[in-house]
Structures are given as C-alpha cells and as structure tokens.
C-alpha cells in the first residue's frame, strides 16, 4: 500500500542518504531513524517529517503492491518494460544487493500491470503457426 504516513522499519530517502525508521515516539513528537551508511542515529520532529522523508520500496513490498512475484518484476525489468531498480550499494553494506524503487517507479509499475491482460504473451510466430495448423486440419476434413 502506498501511503504518505511514516512507518516503522521502512526505508526512506533523507536528502542523499537512505535511512530506516527505528521508532516513532508520538508523546515526544519525534522520529528516531538510523542512517544506513554509517549507522548514525538521527532524531527528527514528527510534524511535517513527510516533507523531507521520501519513501522507497523494496522489491518484496512492490511485489505485494502490484500482486506479482519478485521474479516476475525482475523479468519485466530486464526487458525494460518497467522502471529499473536502484540498489543500496556499497554505502549500505548490510543491504548491499537489495533493490529499491521510488514512489514514482511504483506508480508506473501499478499502471503497467493494471493495463496488462493476464496470461502468457503471444508472439506473431505462435499465431501464424496456429493458423497454418487450423488451415491444414480444415483441408484434411474436406478430403
């Protein structure tokens, strides 16, 4: 689900850094987050935090949003039909190979998968072969 609400244990872009929300303390009106590059803990006021924190989604979260398996998303990504993921990279050693997507990427994927009809893709060779097969069957029955 795509929301502007700040959620614990989720990843966000904070300037040029990627952070993970560790705790929300509503009674003190603050957010505790950890910068993934150096494990520095950052405190921020809860009010208007959605203006500086921009949600990023892991491939697992995106797969739940679009109701597709992660390997299906990777397949369409390789074919350049949906936006390419970014990786946390060397800056975030614990999450080095994790893929993530921005909110706009997720919106684009939802749009792509909602336009697509279910089932296997059909290519022109398959259609031509099927037509030839049907024509041959019709000719044999006429004889």
């Amino acid at each position: 689900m795509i929301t502007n609400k700040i959620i614990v244990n989720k990843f966000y872009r904070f300037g040029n850094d990627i952070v993970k929300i560790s705790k929300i303390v509503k009674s003190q009106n603050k957010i505790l987050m950890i910068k993934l590059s150096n494990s520095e803990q950052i405190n921020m006021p809860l009010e208007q935090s959605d203006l500086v924190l921009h949600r990023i989604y892991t491939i697992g979260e995106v797969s739940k949003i679009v109701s597709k398996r992660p390997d299906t998303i990777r397949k369409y990504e390789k074919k350049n039909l949906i936006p390419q993921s970014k990786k946390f990279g060397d800056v975030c050693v614990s999450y080095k190979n994790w893929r993530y997507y921005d909110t706009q990427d997720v919106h684009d994927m939802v749009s792509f998968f909602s336009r697509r009809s279910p089932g296997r893709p059909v290519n022109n060779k398959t259609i031509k072969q099927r037509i030839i097969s049907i024509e041959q069957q019709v000719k044999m029955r006429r004889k």
Side-chain angles (χ1 to χ4, degrees):
M1 182 170 166
I2 301 174
T3 179
N4 288 335
K5 182 179 174 184
I6 304 299
I7 304 170
V8 176
N9 289 326
K10 299 297 178 188
F11 297 101
Y12 291 83
R13 187 167 284 290
F14 178 59
N16 291 329
D17 297 315
I18 296 176
V19 296
K20 185 175 183 180
I21 305 299
S22 59
K23 194 174 187 181
I24 298 173
V25 185
K26 290 184 179 179
S27 61
Q28 296 177 6
N29 190 33
K30 68 179 179 178
I31 298 174
L32 304 173
M33 54 190 168
I34 298 171
K35 191 191 274 189
L36 296 184
S37 60
N38 58 9
S39 300
E40 176 187 344
Q41 187 167 344
I42 303 170
N43 294 324
M44 169 184 274
L46 180 59
E47 286 183 17
Q48 299 181 350
S49 58
D50 57 332
L51 297 175
V52 292
L53 293 174
H54 303 284
R55 181 82 159 86
I56 57 177
Y57 299 86
T58 62
I59 193 164
E61 293 169 322
V62 172
S63 71
K64 289 177 184 175
I65 292 169
V66 298
S67 301
K68 301 289 179 194
R69 294 170 40 125
D71 58 331
T72 303
I73 292 171
R74 288 186 203 101
K75 178 179 79 173
Y76 283 108
E77 196 177 287
K78 285 178 186 173
K79 293 181 178 183
N80 291 322
L81 296 172
I82 59 175
Q84 295 290 313
S85 66
K86 295 136 192 104
K87 287 195 175 183
F88 287 109
D90 294 329
V91 176
C92 311
V93 178
S94 302
Y95 303 98
K96 182 179 179 178
N97 292 321
W98 283 34
R99 298 168 184 252
Y100 73 88
Y101 301 89
D102 295 327
T103 305
Q104 185 57 48
D105 296 340
V106 176
H107 285 289
D108 292 345
M109 282 189 257
V110 168
S111 174
F112 172 79
F113 286 114
S114 64
R115 287 190 317 250
R116 190 174 183 289
S117 60
R120 290 199 155 291
V122 179
N123 60 29
N124 287 337
K125 289 181 181 178
T126 306
I127 294 172
K128 287 178 183 176
Q129 289 172 349
R130 183 73 178 135
I131 290 171
I132 291 169
S133 173
I134 292 171
E135 287 175 348
Q136 288 173 348
Q137 289 175 3
V138 169
K139 285 179 183 177
M140 289 181 73
R141 288 188 182 171
R142 286 184 184 167
K143 290 182 180 181

